[in-house]
Amino acid sequence: MQRHYELAFLVDSDQATQAHDLAERYSSTITDAGGTVHRLEHWGRRNLAYPIQNRTKAFYVLINLECDAPTRDELQRSLQFNDNILRHLLIRRSEAVTKASQLIAHQHSDAPKDTAEAAPKDTAEAAPKDTAEAAPKDTAEAAPKDTAEAAPK
């Protein structure tokens, strides 16, 4: 019986180029055994909350998958014995998760928009028409009347 799982693993930051290869290898292991990869996300190199094996940075990968128990066991064994993987967590999910994670969705929403759309069409509209409107009408109102009143006691 095939079940849904979520796999997150941390790859040594020195081996970040190998993280993509590891993710592809695990994905192919799952699909070759008749499983399905619903989502594969590379979160990139991030700081760790605490040092793991004297490392402070790691490359994060998240995979949502569907597979049977023998494939899951094989996947866990290969994760345990891979020296480049600092930590991994495989949890069972009630259903398949296919939409982007909040982290990835947030990164895409923070991405700069097209500059042509973001810039105003006419620079005259963006700037105040009269510079006198932008400045205070009476500078005497803005400045203290007596310097003795403005000085702290």
Side-chain angles (χ1 to χ4, degrees):
M1 180 163 101
Q2 300 228 343
R3 298 192 178 202
H4 300 283
Y5 298 97
E6 184 171 275
L7 169 66
F9 60 92
L10 309 177
V11 180
D12 183 6
S13 64
D14 296 336
Q15 307 296 327
T17 56
Q18 202 175 36
H20 294 286
D21 297 336
L22 287 171
E24 291 303 318
R25 182 173 6 139
Y26 294 138
S27 295
S28 65
T29 301
I30 294 161
T31 55
D32 291 346
T36 307
V37 175
H38 296 289
R39 174 173 67 173
L40 172 63
E41 294 180 354
H42 298 278
W43 288 356
R45 186 175 169 178
R46 305 177 68 79
N47 289 329
L48 297 172
Y50 55 90
I52 300 173
Q53 298 175 5
N54 294 325
R55 307 279 197 295
T56 58
K57 292 183 184 264
F59 194 89
Y60 286 65
V61 178
L62 176 73
I63 303 174
N64 284 88
L65 56 111
E66 183 178 353
C67 67
D68 55 0
T71 306
R72 180 203 61 210
D73 294 341
E74 178 187 344
L75 189 62
Q76 279 200 307
R77 268 193 304 277
S78 64
L79 287 163
Q80 281 178 334
F81 296 117
N82 191 331
D83 292 334
N84 294 325
I85 300 207
L86 301 176
R87 291 276 193 277
H88 73 277
L89 179 66
L90 181 69
I91 59 172
R92 186 172 154 205
R93 300 293 302 235
S94 59
E95 59 185 30
V97 180
T98 57
K99 70 177 194 171
S101 65
Q102 291 181 356
L103 179 72
I104 297 297
H106 183 69
Q107 286 177 349
H108 289 297
S109 68
D110 286 346
K113 306 289 188 257
D114 187 15
T115 55
E117 293 176 7
K121 294 178 183 177
D122 187 7
T123 55
E125 291 177 9
K129 294 180 182 178
D130 187 10
T131 55
E133 291 177 8
K137 296 193 187 251
D138 188 4
T139 56
E141 292 177 5
K145 293 179 183 179
D146 187 13
T147 56
E149 292 176 9
K153 295 182 181 180

